[in-house]
Amino acid sequence: MTASPLTIDSAELRLVRLPLLSPFTIATGTMYEKLFPLLTLRANGVEGYAEGVMDPLPDYLDETIAGSMMLLRDVLIPQLVGRSFENPAAVESLLTPWRGHYMARAMVEMAFWDLFAKSLRLPLKTLLGGERNAIDVGVSLGIGPVGNTIERAQKHLELGYKRIKLKIMPGHDVKLVEAVRKAMPDAHLTVDANSAYTLADMDIMMALDDFNLDYIEQPLAWDDIHDHAALQPRLKTAICLDECIRSAQDARKALASGAARVINIKVGRVGGYLESRRIHDICAAWTLPVWCGGMLESGIGRAHNIHLSTLANFRKPGDTSSSSRYFAKDIVNEALEAVDGRMPVPQGPGIGVTLDRPFLDSVTVSTEHFPA
């Protein structure tokens, strides 16, 4: 092993377009493909990878692919290439002065973590402090007809998935959950509203409270911890916050104000692994669980999520289901497939997956190179 500083020799930024096997609908719209930036950092003959989770339009959060690509191309990658870094904290300190753009900053930090772990010939989970060789997996079901949703939920329960998450929106909520709960009375069910409701919808929240859900995820506005703090005391069901939590400070304020009893951590949403671990540790101090959310990632992002989920306080199943649920073919050589509701942690240094370069080239929209 070596602890020598890593000098970033070069970088590559791709825009990748992967078709989805079937459309995925949530309260904010329908996805037919996964369009994402893919970053490669190189040092000492080793490569580190990360993908971005921002959307083409600012419908999940305020970041977009176009804006993130610009920041990466014009600012973040040029700051990195040719410089030496002793550890990921040194990279984070370089990125911290820039406001917002959590997902773009996370790409740089995550790619360096992968590179750093590979340079030490260690799995990423070891450096993060992870404790498991496999993690419990849940499934997220997009909005669809009630009968079809029940069929999909039953299929995934039979496959061993540990939690069924139902996407909901106004007009497609209480009756859906009632039907699914009736069909599977003992299943671990959750719902995800993607910020589609307000406090004026209290009757819907109270109705959902009767279905023995594990939690209700992000029912209110994407940037409003205060209203969630008003809602949570009125429900026996836990609220889980997603979009509201961009930092450890947000997590602390949410827990201190009683706005949530569960937090979903997405590495990209909060700016990287170091901030993810801070949120993880704050929640652990409050004895409240966290879990890892997904953004329909390819095998690169999925592998990153799996490694993060090995930390001790990830006590609820994450959105790290099998890659084959979403893509006919992935951009990595290794199959990331759950068995009986458990996802094995990819073996090997770093995130433990390698690029299928011929296929990656076939689904790449553009490529930019950054020499030292």
Side-chain angles (χ1 to χ4, degrees):
M1 296 191 300
T2 175
S4 301
L6 287 176
T7 300
I8 306 302
D9 303 319
S10 63
E12 178 185 274
L13 181 62
R14 294 179 183 241
L15 184 63
V16 180
R17 188 189 306 273
L18 265 183
L20 293 172
L21 282 173
S22 58
F24 190 81
T25 300
I26 65 173
T28 56
T30 300
M31 291 179 61
Y32 299 91
E33 62 184 12
K34 180 62 179 176
L35 185 69
F36 61 96
L38 179 68
L39 176 64
T40 300
L41 298 180
R42 301 187 181 97
N44 302 339
V46 179
E47 294 186 340
Y49 311 117
E51 70 178 86
V53 295
M54 62 290 292
D55 290 323
L57 297 174
D59 51 6
Y60 167 67
L61 287 170
D62 50 356
E63 298 178 62
T64 65
I65 290 176
S68 296
M69 294 280 284
M70 179 279 293
L71 187 66
L72 287 160
R73 176 190 307 114
D74 296 346
V75 181
L76 301 185
I77 297 175
Q79 278 190 313
L80 215 66
V81 174
R83 293 189 59 174
S84 297
F85 301 92
E86 292 191 356
N87 50 52
V91 174
E92 185 192 44
S93 66
L94 183 74
L95 304 172
T96 297
W98 302 114
R99 298 181 182 180
H101 297 283
Y102 298 90
M103 296 173 179
R105 290 191 281 138
M107 285 180 65
V108 173
E109 195 232 50
M110 292 166 71
F112 186 85
W113 270 100
D114 185 31
L115 183 70
F116 187 61
K118 287 172 179 172
S119 75
L120 297 173
R121 299 190 291 279
L122 292 172
L124 178 57
K125 72 161 193 170
T126 300
L127 297 187
L128 293 176
E131 300 177 351
R132 307 179 181 115
N133 294 319
I135 58 171
D136 285 346
V137 173
V139 66
S140 178
L141 302 181
I143 292 170
V146 173
N148 176 259
T149 301
I150 292 173
E151 290 177 6
R152 288 184 290 153
Q154 289 175 328
K155 173 186 174 183
H156 285 91
L157 279 182
E158 291 168 2
L159 290 172
Y161 283 87
K162 308 299 185 184
R163 179 267 284 148
I164 305 294
K165 179 166 81 173
L166 307 173
K167 294 286 189 175
I168 61 171
M169 66 180 184
H172 189 81
D173 39 46
V174 177
K175 290 184 178 179
L176 167 72
V177 179
E178 182 180 30
V180 174
R181 174 55 81 199
K182 183 178 180 181
M184 44 198 70
D186 299 322
H188 285 279
L189 290 184
T190 71
V191 296
D192 184 4
N194 288 111
S195 306
Y197 299 87
T198 71
L199 288 176
D201 298 307
M202 188 63 71
D203 58 333
I204 297 174
M205 296 297 108
M206 299 304 289
L208 293 172
D209 203 28
D210 290 334
F211 293 118
N212 191 29
L213 301 172
D214 284 16
Y215 51 81
I216 300 171
E217 187 176 353
Q218 195 68 41
L220 308 179
W222 64 277
D223 58 351
D224 196 337
I225 292 174
H226 185 273
D227 275 1
H228 285 95
L231 175 61
Q232 178 66 97
R234 301 187 63 178
L235 302 176
K236 58 181 178 288
T237 307
I239 288 175
C240 170
L241 290 181
D242 176 348
E243 286 93 326
C244 279
I245 306 301
R246 308 302 302 274
S247 67
Q249 281 194 10
D250 289 339
R252 176 182 57 80
K253 292 173 183 177
L255 299 183
S257 63
R261 298 203 293 266
V262 182
I263 284 180
N264 163 347
I265 298 179
K266 294 175 179 172
V267 192
R269 191 190 72 231
V270 305
Y273 281 115
L274 291 170
E275 196 70 6
S276 295
R277 290 200 310 190
R278 294 179 191 115
I279 296 170
H280 168 276
D281 293 349
I282 286 171
C283 291
W286 283 73
T287 67
L288 296 179
V290 300
W291 59 277
C292 183
M295 294 288 286
L296 306 186
E297 289 94 340
S298 80
I300 295 297
R302 197 168 301 271
H304 274 284
N305 289 345
I306 295 167
H307 280 271
L308 176 68
S309 299
T310 62
L311 272 67
N313 198 41
F314 281 84
R315 292 188 279 127
K316 290 188 175 290
D319 287 339
T320 43
S321 51
S322 298
S323 178
S324 60
R325 289 191 64 247
Y326 304 104
F327 309 113
K329 187 173 176 59
D330 206 340
I331 63 171
V332 299
N333 293 303
E334 295 74 14
L336 300 179
E337 297 294 311
V339 179
D340 294 328
R342 299 272 290 169
M343 176 68 76
V345 178
Q347 299 297 302
I351 57 174
V353 296
T354 56
L355 293 173
D356 181 341
R357 294 187 182 277
F359 179 68
L360 175 60
D361 288 341
S362 75
V363 293
T364 294
V365 177
S366 64
T367 306
E368 299 172 75
H369 300 280
F370 301 83

